[in-house]
Amino acid sequence: MPSSPVKRFDYRALPSRVLFGAGRRHDTPDEVRQLNCVRPLIVSTPEQSELAGNIAALFNPPSAQRFCEAAMHTPWDVTSRALAVVQEAHADCLIAVGGGSAIGLAKAIALRTGLPQIAIPTTYAGSEVTPIIGETRDGEKHTRRTLDVLPEVVIYDVELTLTLPVRLSATSGLNAIAHAVEALYSVDANPVTSIMAEEGIAALAAALPAILDDPSGLDARSRAQYGAWLCGTCLGSVGMALHHKVCHVLGGTFDLPHADTHAVMLAHVVAYQAIAAPHALQRVARALQADEAWRGLHALTSRLGVPQSLAAIGMPRDGIARAAELVLEQTYANPRTPDRESVKAMLERAWCGARPQTDLS
């Protein structure tokens, strides 16, 4: 197939060190030393406190403190408590262990202290390789992009994903796919990230059903982690669009589960974009081995057994109009210019779990 003309583009590589492979968590103390640090603060959610303790136990003599109160959407009250612990412990670096909640908290601390970070992700969310932070205060989630929050080191240890529940594996993986999908039609799209995006989508689309069939399979788990790294790197390199704006509004305003929200909304937003971004979505369809991108994504979410409606994950129906209004505030660049009525119609269909629809005019 002849290649298409290469248009003018910008590409910025992000300055992170990545370690990939089973057992790589044991390299954490060496990485701390390479950062010229000696007093790490390990952050996690309450559910991952045991894992945080296991990472702390790698340090000899014991020098790592823990803060295990990370929460979804990085609420400011949690960040303020963590900052107090940083000061009391005289911490000189941060180790985030877990998913987007832990990594988001470490980013929020780093933003205000300048401390270096090591991220040890246990989900497929991808936040560990992005210079993006989303924080919630007074019921609204605000997102910004700055290299000040990019972790210096990322350690991908597939063994830490083996206990990730199948349902969360699926929703987290769909969250990662969303990063790559939007990278393909981003206003900042370029040939490098587009190759990574298509490969990342294909890797996750193959790995997630295999994880569903055999949650302990290292090959599928490694493939999913590889795909998540690629997809997250895409998100870190280019701008976000409508899907992420919708999910940030729904998550920050209604406290919906982050990965579940992405899983429910992805096929709906891709159907919404279908006419405006045909070439980008052809690549998504190819990665999914589907006729159309939105159909392939809808089939994948159905195959994985993830939530199919906003109602199922706690979205109040009377919040739809408010959500549509918030989506249109400070909108991200998007192939299709969103309007209130079409966004509201899309959210209505997503709320009740209806089939995604391309014509919402």
Side-chain angles (χ1 to χ4, degrees):
M1 183 177 67
S3 60
S4 57
V6 179
K7 300 178 181 179
R8 177 176 176 174
F9 68 89
D10 294 343
Y11 173 71
R12 181 174 184 175
L14 298 176
S16 291
R17 171 174 161 80
V18 175
L19 286 67
F20 193 100
R24 296 306 298 268
R25 64 189 180 280
H26 297 290
D27 294 334
T28 305
D30 287 339
E31 294 302 314
V32 168
R33 284 190 287 272
Q34 289 192 41
L35 293 172
N36 295 316
C37 297
V38 295
R39 291 183 303 277
L41 176 69
I42 301 174
V43 300
S44 77
T45 60
E47 294 78 9
Q48 293 280 30
S49 61
E50 182 178 353
L51 177 56
N54 292 340
I55 298 299
L58 297 175
F59 290 84
N60 187 21
S63 57
Q65 301 292 319
R66 288 185 290 159
F67 181 86
C68 302
E69 299 178 29
M72 284 193 308
H73 310 302
T74 320
W76 170 246
D77 62 311
V78 175
T79 300
S80 62
R81 292 198 299 274
L83 287 168
V85 173
V86 168
Q87 188 172 16
E88 293 168 6
H90 302 289
D92 57 8
C93 69
L94 305 164
I95 302 173
V97 181
S101 296
I103 293 166
L105 175 58
K107 287 181 172 184
I109 298 169
L111 181 64
R112 292 164 177 88
T113 63
L115 294 179
Q117 304 171 73
I118 296 174
I120 308 176
T122 61
T123 71
Y124 309 130
S127 176
E128 66 277 358
V129 286
T130 75
I132 300 167
I133 181 170
E135 299 181 277
T136 303
R137 192 185 300 205
D138 300 327
E140 290 191 17
K141 189 169 185 176
H142 301 279
T143 302
R144 62 182 293 192
R145 180 184 290 262
T146 170
L147 286 174
D148 292 338
V149 304
L150 182 70
E152 280 74 8
V153 180
V154 182
I155 299 176
Y156 289 105
D157 186 336
V158 66
E159 292 173 354
L160 298 183
T161 68
L162 292 176
T163 56
L164 185 65
V166 169
R167 183 181 180 280
L168 184 54
S169 298
T171 56
S172 179
L174 289 165
N175 180 10
I177 288 174
H179 304 333
V181 168
E182 293 229 302
L184 285 166
Y185 55 63
S186 168
V187 67
D188 305 316
N190 62 73
V192 179
T193 56
S194 293
I195 291 170
M196 296 173 72
E198 190 170 346
E199 171 72 1
I201 294 168
L204 280 159
L208 295 177
I211 291 171
L212 184 68
D213 295 336
D214 179 13
S216 62
L218 275 178
D219 288 345
R221 290 286 188 181
S222 294
R223 186 71 175 168
Q225 202 168 46
Y226 164 71
W229 169 49
L230 292 175
C231 294
T233 300
C234 292
L235 176 66
S237 302
V238 301
M240 295 177 285
L242 180 64
H243 173 81
H244 281 83
K245 177 66 176 184
V246 169
C247 291
H248 292 162
V249 165
L250 295 176
T253 306
F254 303 101
D255 198 31
L256 303 186
H258 181 75
D260 286 5
T261 306
H262 280 274
V264 171
M265 290 306 309
L266 182 56
H268 287 277
V269 177
V270 168
Y272 186 92
Q273 312 275 39
I275 297 175
H279 297 299
L281 295 182
Q282 282 175 5
R283 299 187 72 156
V284 176
R286 183 167 62 197
L288 296 169
Q289 300 182 14
D291 293 335
E292 293 183 77
W294 72 265
R295 292 182 190 276
L297 290 167
H298 185 59
L300 180 60
T301 57
S302 299
R303 166 75 173 84
L304 296 175
V306 301
Q308 297 289 303
S309 71
L310 292 176
I313 61 173
M315 172 74 179
R317 187 163 198 167
D318 60 8
I320 291 174
R322 173 63 175 154
E325 293 172 1
L326 290 173
V327 166
L328 296 181
E329 291 182 4
Q330 300 178 335
T331 55
Y332 304 155
N334 194 66
R336 174 178 174 179
T337 302
D339 63 87
R340 184 181 181 279
E341 289 308 312
S342 63
V343 169
K344 185 172 177 288
M346 177 180 64
L347 292 173
E348 287 276 5
R349 296 187 69 82
W351 186 87
C352 63
R355 187 179 178 84
Q357 186 171 314
T358 57
D359 183 10
L360 293 165
S361 57

